Amino acid sequence: MSRRGAILHSRTQWLLLGLALLFSLVLFMYLLECAPQTDGNASLPGVVRENYGKEYYQALLQEQEEHYQTRATSLKRQIAQLKQELQEMSEKMRSLQEKKNIGANGIGYQGNREQTPSDLLEFLHSQIDRAEVSVGAKLPSEYGVVPFESFTLMKVFQLEMGLTRHPEEKPVRKDKRDELVEVIEAGLEVINNPDEDDEQEDEEGPLGEKLIFNENDFIEGYYRTERDKGTHYELFFKKADLMEYRHVTLFRPFGPLMKVKNEMIDITRSVINIIVPLAERTEAFSQFMQNFSESNFHNYTLISLNEEFNRGRGLNVGARAWDKGEVLMFFCDVDIYFSAEFLNSCRLNAEPGKKVFYPVVFSLYNPAIVYANQDVPPPVEQQLVHKKDSGFWRDFGFGMTCQYQSDFLNVGGFDLEVKGWGGEDVHLYRKYLHGDLIVIRTPVPGLFHLWHEKHCADELTPEQYRMCIQSKAMNEASHSHLGMMVFREEIEMHLRKQAYRTNSDTAG
């Protein structure tokens, strides 16, 4: 039993004990009131030692009896009311305990049907069916997408930063922290106590004991809330000495957490084709290959095209060049720095015929501005940090994507009519949104866009040129750094005035 369940059970016991003591006290008072006088010398109410007739004492006795009967009726009514309140409170606490168990166990479609009213359970399942959990929702454009937030045990990576303006944060708000802790605990309960219909096999530890997962085995998770349906959670767990991942899907339809899926995923045989279109950019390509080699990848294929550079055309050729069956593809740019952990996320979040993965890249600002107080910027590896003055989540960029070749071909690939810079990735993204595939759109900590100077060519269309300039401006520096640059003369004038006043005061 979880800690919260134990606390709730303890509180229930104390409440029942208190109500039982109160009931006993009322019953004791009733017995005292109704018990006859045992003292033989006690006199009846009235004036002491006065002689009255038989009728008088009979009237007194009748009056006293009526008084006791009224009092007894009142006490019986109070006892009945207390019994009813005790029963209602017991049922209420039992209901709360069942709801707590439902939340901890992550109920599935077959679990806890007897405890949950059928109409309520049907409504909760209908919320899951309406939400984009098992099947993608057809959306008109990229503006209709509800992106996921990603999180680990220590941090939350979010696009909607609010007043904090931090691209990553520790969940300092208690409700958010408690929510994520509860979700991870529910995921562990699902894994460690699987149902018969779960897609996983029982595994044993090195000594033959049952394999138990704990919070340290949690790798990453994603969540998003559709405001009219509920919150969707995707959780991934992995033991350090095992190759398989455990994947748990939960949904909270504005009620208790419900289990949607519990499965085991083996990614050891999942080959990724990393496709990079390139024109010139020799220095950037050298940096990319250095990162690529450090990730222990050694198979390369170069496809040369003797034609004007077109990103969509290059990716399209690279995607169709593979002829050895189904394969997972990562469309990447030469300015991207990725980790081996990101490639695992790519494998976990793309599924042929079901899901495509559109990670949100963290784009680094111009290091000459970010590190202006240093003689030279630090090495690239030391620049890979998620801070509001070092970069931003490129939530308007759709160029980096993980998808299976069959899904790419089924939607018709890139629009080759798009020429020059930008636009082709948005067209492909919209094709997926118009279909039935689930689009996983979330910030990913292991994927960085390295800064490079942008050149917007004159031959671009007005719309493309505007997009290029907008992108160029946003990539230079943070709002605060740009503000300091704009008001540099004003700041320097203020410093000179302060220095002059200080010197004057000293001389005086």
Side-chain angles (χ1 to χ4, degrees), residues 28-46:
F28 178 69
M29 292 173 61
Y30 166 70
L31 293 175
L32 287 178
E33 291 284 349
C34 296
Q37 296 278 351
T38 57
D39 189 355
N41 297 323
S43 59
L44 293 172

Side-chain angles (χ1 to χ4, degrees), residues 30 33-34 62-78:
Y30 166 70
E33 291 284 349
C34 296
Q62 185 177 357
E63 180 182 353
Q64 195 73 9
E65 184 178 358
E66 291 176 354
H67 171 74
Y68 283 129
Q69 287 178 351
T70 302
R71 180 62 176 165
T73 302
S74 176
L75 289 174
K76 288 179 180 179
R77 188 183 302 112
Q78 293 181 38

